[in-house]
């Protein structure tokens, strides 16, 4: 805003607007509420906005209020015709008109959409661009088989981004590979319901369940039982679990598919559930998992 020819009061008004609205909006969404003391609807909406701003403060949302009677110049700049008028401001520009949203749920829904679209980081969060390369490094080292080193990397990254689902999932899977299943389960048990629903966390949980389904037992006795009776599904299921625990995913998949091919409904579909769990543990988009899904489809639909 130009300040030439303005009174001292108007200059101070602009300075406050720069300080309270423009500057914070460079890195956060500012809910800008135009109101007046005599306005009944304004007084009804005010506590709702206060509550929303408080709940979303850590997500990158702030609240600023402008009394149209005290700040006539600012109200004129925004062409305020009626109050309350409420805008969402980002990088100095209105990005949404919130005026018609009067309930807490409605306003939060719009803010959630804006936060996702604008990719605003929560206050104090490590920028995603700093975390992504470290996650990729941890995943590469884990894929190469150095689980203890991967654990160390993911621990450091989690210190930077404690709520990042990719980091949590990577750390849990690394702990499972390193034989630290107790700690892996402890981390999963401490997560909120929202975090637990994330695909990256679900994959990590599946990896833990696959690894702890059965001890990496000797298999000759189970193979002997199957040689005598190929329809001993219990023995084959135990064999699949033992192979999973030993890291033999191909052998485990073969055994489970064999059960499904012979009796897909055995034990309430236990073999199919375990097979899908095995795929999830390795990542549903992994080429190996895709190939195994095709094997399952061919078995079920031919």
């Amino acid at each position: 805003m130009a300040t030439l020819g303005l009174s001292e009061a108007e200059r101070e008004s602009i300075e406050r607007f720069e300080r309270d609205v423009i500057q914070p909006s460079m890195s956060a969404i500012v809910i800008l509420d135009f109101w007046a003391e005599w306005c009944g609807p304004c007084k009804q909406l005010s506590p709702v906005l206060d509550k929303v701003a408080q709940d979303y403060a850590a997500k990158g949302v702030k609240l600023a209020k402008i009394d149209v009677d005290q700040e006539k110049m600012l109200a004129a700049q925004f062409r305020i015709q009626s109050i309350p008028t409420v805008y969402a401001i980002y990088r100095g520009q209105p990005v949404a008109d919130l005026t018609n949203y009067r309930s807490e749920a409605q306003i939060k829904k719009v803010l959630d959409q804006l936060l996702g679209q604008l990719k605003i980081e929560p206050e104090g969060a490590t920028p995603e661009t700093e975390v992504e390369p470290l996650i990729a490094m941890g995943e590469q080292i884990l894929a190469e088989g150095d689980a203890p080193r991967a654990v160390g990397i993911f621990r450091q990254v989690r210190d930077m981004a404690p709520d990042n689902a990719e980091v949590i999932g990577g750390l849990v899977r690394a702990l499972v590979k390193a034989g630290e299943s107790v700690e892996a389960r402890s981390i999963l048990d401490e997560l909120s319901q929202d975090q637990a629903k994330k695909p990256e966390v679900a994959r990590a949980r599946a990896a833990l369940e696959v690894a702890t389904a059965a001890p990496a037992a000797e298999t000759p006795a189970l193979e002997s039982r199957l040689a005598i009776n190929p329809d001993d599904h219990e023995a084959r299921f135990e064999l699949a679990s033992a192979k999973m625990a030993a890291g033999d995913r191909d052998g485990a998949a073969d055994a489970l598919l064999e059960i499904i091919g012979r009796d897909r409904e055995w034990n309430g579909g236990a073999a199919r559930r375990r097979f899908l769990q095995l795929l999830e543990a390795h990542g549903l988009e992994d080429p190996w998992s895709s190939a195994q899904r095709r094997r399952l489809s061919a078995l079920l639909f031919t």
Side-chain angles (χ1 to χ4, degrees), residues 33 40-54 63 65 102 104 107:
D33 176 26
C42 297
K43 292 182 178 180
Q44 293 177 341
L45 181 61
S46 181
V48 175
L49 296 178
D50 289 341
K51 175 68 163 51
V52 170
Q54 181 180 0
L63 175 63
K65 300 188 179 188
R102 298 302 174 90
E104 180 180 334
I107 297 170

Side-chain angles (χ1 to χ4, degrees), residues 17 21-22 24-26 28-34 60 62 78 86-96 98 114 118 120:
F17 186 77
V21 179
I22 299 300
S25 78
M26 293 298 107
I29 292 175
V30 176
I31 301 174
L32 183 57
D33 176 26
F34 289 91
K62 300 180 183 297
F78 278 86
V86 185
Y87 292 121
I89 307 294
Y90 182 62
R91 295 188 182 274
Q93 299 295 325
V95 292
L98 307 180
L114 289 173
L118 299 173
I120 297 173

